[in-house]
């Protein structure tokens, strides 16, 4: 229903017009006014859709009404319904905005005029509505484009900007709107412009939207942009490209960093795992490559499972509770776990875990774990600990552990008033085995002794090896001396059993010294020192026995140490001299040589036997300068004999194993020969069996060199060591010296007689001469002569003489 306002002074005419319209189906309501004032009021309050106005009225007129209506509401259609008004007036009214003119006498035209006018109004309103909507849409589009964070643009085929939003201008450092109309090559360096243009072309060719990552030169330098470009269709051909682009430089940097971190984690040599602690049963969500290679489990096998599968069935591990607590309390921790490879083998895993939270102070949702396979390191540590406390050869406690055990045992013994005993054990003649059969054989013997000692003590006692052939027993709570003696006898009994080494039965004995707490010392150091002193006493009183510590033994130890101290100055102080013991040819009784024997004339202690200082000198290395002195003195004095007019005399000089082992030994001998001028044939070097049977090939080389120099060689103490006859054959030996222990009873003990006879026969078979030492009685001499021995020496033949005595004796013999 429309609203019609009649500007009409005659109500009847208004009613007639209304009826006519109703008749034509135009539903309406109407009001009528006939003054300007009422017209304005009705325009305001009634709000008509159409005004039908008479032209001339008593108090108003149609043209004025038209002006008022157009002024108040210009869009309202206005139709004159009047008598004839003349052509001029009609044109004027149409100019002023009237829509139509209907003559009252022809009211039948009114309905069509109203319908046409209303239709025009409707079309106009529709157009205006569309325009308004377009305006609104345009406004929304530009608000959207101007406020979006990325750059938006439209370019034509030549790369000219048709549209560029605020963000694009800002990014390129342009004034607002400056890009419009400019080509890419006017805004970017050529290379970049070409690349952007090529991207545009790809979109045009594809005829669809594409996402392209492009490098763009912005005011902040070159940046990476992710552009979404699409063809804008105009008619059938795409001639424009729309695009939106966002700066992804930061994102790419972050992505690159993430990629780098990811690669670093993957490249890490340690297994790294990530666990989701918010999911049920906390499954693994990531494992790196090292995890796969070290555990043997692939990612597929590991991911989704709780880490506990690495423990296999070994789930009762003390450190596991520590691990659980750390996860519960969301804190870092490190634990040592026994884990298992896929093949079931165990590895020790030093696991470090740390919580990963969502941002700072956020909830912990993951744990990262780094695994270290420390199996080798732990084994190495255990080995080191073992080496620090145990002897590698025997597996027995070493000095370190022994000290610790003695300290502990002392604390216990003090608290419970118990006794404890230290037994110091030194093998007798071990050096002989070592030197004659080699270190390998010596090691075998030591290992056997270790096992035997272990079998002699009770559980709780300690057997330690503290040096080459030195052992210590720590006996706990042996309350009676008789009990200790019993253990000592057991040791002796075990020791004496032969040991089969390298095909030879070797019998080893030992000397033992015993010191007990509290009687012989109250601390570890004094107990060990006193047991050592007691062992020395056992050794010097015949070996293969044991001695309980007595107070005066310390004095002897002190003396021994003082003697060693003095030995260092003896050579410099010219305290040594040589004695010469004559050696005779048994067939003729002629003196054919002498043996040089060293003596130490100690300024306070008097004459000291080589038995008391040679072992000491061998131990501390002084034997080298002392041995050289003996060589030079003996050779020089033999030349002095020659100078006295005596015939050349052979001198036998004793060598020690250390001298023979010296690298420059041969040159020392050569220098001595050169310096003294002695005939090499007059120099005999005495070696012992034990010296030559060790390192045989090297020794043969040295002996051959000496032999080539025409020096004579004799094998001393023959029969006491472990000679191999096969080697003996290869040694360039001139003489075998039967040890005096066999000569001593050769006339009364059939065994010694047979040994001596055998040695003589053996030597002769090998075309070697034999000399017997220790000839003390005429029976000895008779026996040797009878059995074809070549030469002899001994107190019965001649005591060792000072050089002057020897010279006098020889000169006297020459005169006789
Ligand atoms: N490396 C060196 N060793 C040396 C040197 N001088 C001696 N020695 C060795 O010391 C050991 C003891 O020697 P010594 O006390 O001199 O005894 C020798 C003789 O005095 C002794 N002997 C001689 N005749 C008899 C005898 O009839 N009965 C008896 N009971 N003893 C006697 O024997 C020793 C000689 O032994 P040997 O050398 O085996 O021929 C001794 O081992 C010496 O070798 C030295 O300068 N360097």
């Amino acid at each position: 229903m429309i609203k019609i306002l009649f500007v009409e002074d005659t109500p009847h005419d208004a009613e007639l017009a209304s009826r006519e319209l109703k008749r034509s189906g135009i539903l309406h309501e109407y009001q009528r006014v006939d003054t300007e004032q009422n017209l304005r009021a009705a325009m305001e309050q009634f709000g008509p859709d159409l005004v039908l106005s008479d032209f001339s009225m008593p108090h108003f007129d149609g043209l004025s009404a038209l002006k008022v209506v157009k002024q108040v509401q210009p869009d309202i259609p206005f139709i004159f319904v009047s008598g004839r008004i003349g052509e001029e007036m009609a044109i004027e009214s149409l100019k002023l905005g009237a829509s139509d003119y209907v003559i009252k006498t022809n009211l039948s035209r009114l309905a069509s005029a109203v319908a046409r006018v209303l239709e025009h109004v409707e079309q106009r309103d529709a157009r205006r509505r569309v325009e308004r909507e377009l305006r609104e849409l345009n406004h929304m589009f530009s608000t959207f484009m101007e406020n979006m964070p990325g750059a938006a643009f439209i370019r034509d085929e030549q790369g000219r900007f048709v549209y560029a939003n605020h963000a694009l201008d800002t990014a390129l450092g342009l004034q607002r709107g400056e890009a419009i109309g400019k080509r890419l090559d006017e805004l970017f360096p050529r290379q970049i412009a070409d690349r952007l243009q090529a991207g545009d072309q790809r979109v045009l060719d594809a005829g669809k939207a594409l996402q392209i990552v492009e490098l763009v030169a912005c005011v902040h330098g070159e940046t990476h942009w992710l552009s979404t470009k699409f063809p804008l269709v105009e008619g059938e051909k795409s001639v424009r490209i729309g695009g939106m682009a966002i700066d992804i430089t930061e994102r790419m940097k972050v992505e690159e960093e993430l990629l780098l971190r990811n690669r670093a984690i993957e490249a890490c040599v340690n297994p790294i795992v990530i666990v989701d602690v918010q999911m049920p049963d906390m499954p693994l969500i990531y494992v790196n490559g090292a995890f796969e290679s070290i555990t043997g489990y692939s990612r597929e096998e590991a991911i989704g499972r709780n880490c506990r599968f690495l423990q296999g069935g070994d789930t009762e591990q003390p450190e596991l509770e520590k691990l659980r607590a750390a996860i519960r309390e969301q804190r870092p921790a490190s634990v040592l776990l026994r884990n298992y490879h896929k093949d079931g083998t165990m590895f020790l895993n030093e696991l470090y875990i740390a919580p990963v939270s969502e941002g700072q102070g956020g909830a912990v949702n993951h744990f990262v774990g780094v695994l270290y396979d420390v199996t080798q390191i732990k084994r190495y540590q255990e080995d080191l600990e073992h080496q620090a406390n145990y002897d590698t050869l025997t597996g027995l406690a070493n000095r370190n552990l022994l000290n610790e055990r003695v300290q502990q045992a002392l604390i216990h013994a003090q608290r419970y008033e118990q006794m404890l005993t230290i037994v110091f054990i030194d093998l007798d003649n071990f050096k002989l085995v070592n030197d004659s059969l080699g270190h390998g054989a010596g090691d075998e013997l030591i290992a056997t002794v270790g096992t035997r000692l272990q079998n002699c003590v009770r559980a709780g006692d300690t057997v330690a090896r503290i040096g080459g052939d030195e052992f210590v027993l720590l006996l706990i709570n042996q309350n009676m001396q008789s009990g200790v003696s019993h253990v000592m006898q057991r040791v002796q009994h075990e020791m004496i059993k032969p040991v089969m080494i390298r095909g030879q039965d070797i019998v080893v004995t030992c000397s033992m010294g015993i010191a007990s707490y509290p009687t012989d010392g109250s601390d570890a150091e004094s107990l060990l020192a006193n047991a050592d002193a007691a062992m020395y006493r056992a050794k010097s009183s015949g070996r293969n026995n044991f001695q309980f510590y007595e107070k005066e033994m310390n004095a002897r130890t002190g003396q021994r140490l003082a003697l060693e101290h003095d030995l260092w100055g003896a050579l410099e102080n010219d305290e040594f001299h040589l004695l010469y013991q004559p050696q005779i040819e048994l067939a003729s009784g002629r003196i054919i040589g002498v043996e040089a024997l060293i003596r130490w004339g100690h300024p306070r202690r008097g004459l000291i036997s080589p038995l008391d200082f040679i072992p000491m000198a061998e131990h501390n290395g002084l034997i080298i300068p002392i041995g050289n002195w003996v060589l030079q003195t003996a050779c020089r004095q033999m030349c002095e004999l020659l100078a006295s007019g005596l015939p050349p005399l052979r001198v036998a000089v004793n060598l020690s194993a250390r001298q023979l082992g010296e690298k420059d030994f041969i040159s020392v001998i050569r220098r001595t020969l050169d310096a003294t001028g002695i005939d090499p044939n007059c120099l005999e070097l005495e070696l012992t069996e034990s010296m030559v049977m060790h390192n045989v090939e090297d020794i043969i080389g040295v002996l051959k060199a000496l032999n080539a120099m025409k020096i004579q060689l004799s094998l001393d103490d023959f029969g006491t060591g472990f000679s191999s006859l096969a080697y003996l054959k290869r040694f360039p030996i001139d003489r075998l010296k039967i040890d005096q222990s066999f000569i001593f009873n050769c006339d009364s003990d059939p065994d010694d007689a047979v040994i001596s006879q055998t040695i003589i026969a053996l030597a002769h078979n090998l075309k070697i001469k034999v000399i017997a030492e220790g000839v003390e009685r005429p029976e000895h001499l008779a026996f040797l002569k009878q059995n074809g021995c070549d030469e002899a020496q001994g107190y019965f033949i001649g005591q060792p003489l000072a050089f002057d005595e020897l010279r006098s004796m020889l000169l006297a013999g020459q005169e006789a």
Side-chain angles (χ1 to χ4, degrees), residues 326-543:
I327 294 173
R328 234 180 4 252
E329 292 156 26
Q330 303 192 337
R331 57 174 169 77
S334 78
V335 291
L336 184 66
L337 298 176
R338 284 186 302 278
N339 278 177
Y340 294 84
H341 299 110
K342 194 180 174 188
D343 65 10
T345 53
M346 192 273 286
F347 68 98
L348 285 174
N349 172 15
E350 197 160 282
L351 173 67
Y352 289 83
I353 58 160
V356 182
S357 46
E358 226 176 306
Q360 241 189 355
V364 170
N365 41 24
H366 295 92
F367 261 77
V368 62
V370 185
L371 289 72
Y372 289 84
D373 180 351
V374 292
T375 319
Q376 293 300 335
I377 297 172
K378 290 281 171 199
R379 267 191 208 139
Y380 185 59
Q381 274 174 358
E382 279 166 20
D383 282 355
L384 281 182
E385 273 168 35
H386 195 269
Q387 277 168 28
N389 288 314
Y390 291 90
D391 171 49
T392 15
L393 178 60
T394 57
L396 298 174
N398 63 9
R399 190 184 286 275
N400 204 22
L401 185 58
L402 173 73
N403 282 337
E404 226 171 81
R405 296 251 174 103
V406 174
Q407 305 282 9
Q408 282 168 5
L410 274 170
I411 294 170
H412 193 270
Q414 278 156 6
R415 184 173 302 158
Y416 299 102
E417 295 185 352
Q418 288 175 346
M419 187 176 138
L420 73 84
T421 299
I422 299 284
V423 182
F424 206 108
I425 303 174
D426 188 278
L427 301 188
D428 301 328
N429 298 320
F430 171 69
K431 199 167 167 300
L432 197 64
V433 178
N434 224 8
D435 288 348
S436 55
L437 297 180
H439 290 289
D443 285 355
E444 276 183 51
L445 180 64
I446 290 289
T448 309
V449 167
T451 314
R452 288 183 180 181
L453 289 175
Q454 195 83 64
N455 292 336
C456 294
V457 299
R458 295 187 300 207
D461 293 339
T462 296
V463 180
R465 178 176 176 233
I466 61 163
D469 61 343
E470 292 174 339
F471 296 84
V472 170
L473 307 184
L474 164 63
L475 307 176
I476 308 292
N477 204 17
Q478 286 284 0
N479 279 326
M480 304 283 287
Q481 215 182 46
S482 58
V484 176
S485 297
H486 185 67
V487 177
M488 298 299 93
Q489 281 154 13
R490 205 158 52 222
V491 170
Q492 283 181 318
H493 184 256
E494 278 297 307
M495 244 358 119
I496 209 88
K497 291 178 184 165
V499 187
M500 173 67 87
I501 292 175
R502 315 250 159 122
Q504 295 197 37
D505 265 341
I506 292 173
V507 175
V508 70
T509 58
C510 62
S511 304
M512 297 179 275
I514 302 146
S516 297
Y517 168 84
T519 46
D520 305 329
S522 54
D523 57 78
E525 204 179 331
S526 57
L527 282 169
L528 277 162
N530 293 343
D532 189 20
M535 186 278 291
Y536 261 92
R537 166 64 71 82
K539 193 112 357 232
S540 55
S541 54
R543 302 172 182 222

Side-chain angles (χ1 to χ4, degrees), residues 4-194:
I4 297 176
L5 179 63
F6 282 95
V7 184
E8 177 62 63
D9 61 322
T10 313
H12 177 71
D13 284 355
E15 185 54 34
L16 272 180
S18 170
R19 270 191 216 150
E20 183 58 29
L21 290 173
K22 279 181 185 160
R23 201 175 52 80
S24 300
I26 296 171
L27 295 178
H28 63 276
E29 59 175 317
Y30 75 88
Q31 279 191 7
R32 185 188 61 84
V33 294
D34 53 5
T35 63
E36 181 180 342
Q37 193 185 357
N38 289 345
L39 172 63
R40 286 186 185 277
M43 286 299 286
E44 180 102 353
Q45 289 151 16
F46 180 56
D49 300 307
L50 171 66
V51 178
L52 298 180
S53 175
D54 196 359
F55 202 78
S56 50
M57 290 161 279
H59 310 294
F60 202 23
D61 70 280
L63 283 179
S64 300
L66 178 59
K67 284 177 189 164
V68 168
V69 169
K70 289 298 166 185
Q71 183 197 11
V72 175
Q73 207 173 331
D75 289 343
I76 288 191
F78 191 103
I79 297 174
F80 279 113
V81 182
S82 176
R84 291 201 180 271
I85 57 172
E87 200 171 326
E88 254 176 52
M89 210 45 98
I91 290 167
E92 178 65 18
S93 65
L94 288 175
K95 272 186 187 169
L96 284 172
S99 310
D100 206 347
Y101 173 76
V102 176
I103 299 171
K104 277 185 179 173
T105 52
N106 192 9
L107 275 180
S108 59
R109 220 190 117 252
L110 180 63
S112 61
V114 166
R116 196 172 58 248
V117 164
L118 287 177
E119 195 183 313
H120 280 164
V121 167
E122 211 169 286
Q123 282 171 356
R124 188 203 60 205
D125 286 351
R127 197 174 61 247
R128 284 188 179 166
R129 221 173 23 250
V130 168
E131 282 168 3
R132 194 177 62 246
E133 280 171 8
L134 271 175
R135 262 196 318 277
E136 280 172 8
L137 209 60
N138 200 31
H139 179 68
M140 278 194 295
F141 168 77
S142 76
T143 308
F144 180 77
M145 285 300 177
E146 293 308 301
N147 287 294
M148 70 184 282
F153 56 85
I154 298 171
R155 288 198 284 266
D156 65 15
E157 278 177 309
Q158 284 75 44
R160 189 175 283 110
F161 278 89
V162 177
Y163 170 79
N165 74 346
H166 180 265
L168 188 135
D169 286 339
T170 311
L172 299 183
L174 302 174
Q175 294 293 326
R176 186 73 197 102
E178 198 183 329
I180 308 294
K182 294 226 168 66
R183 289 191 317 273
L184 285 166
D185 56 6
E186 292 175 89
L187 294 171
F188 298 102
R190 162 65 55 196
Q191 253 187 335
I192 292 177
D194 286 352

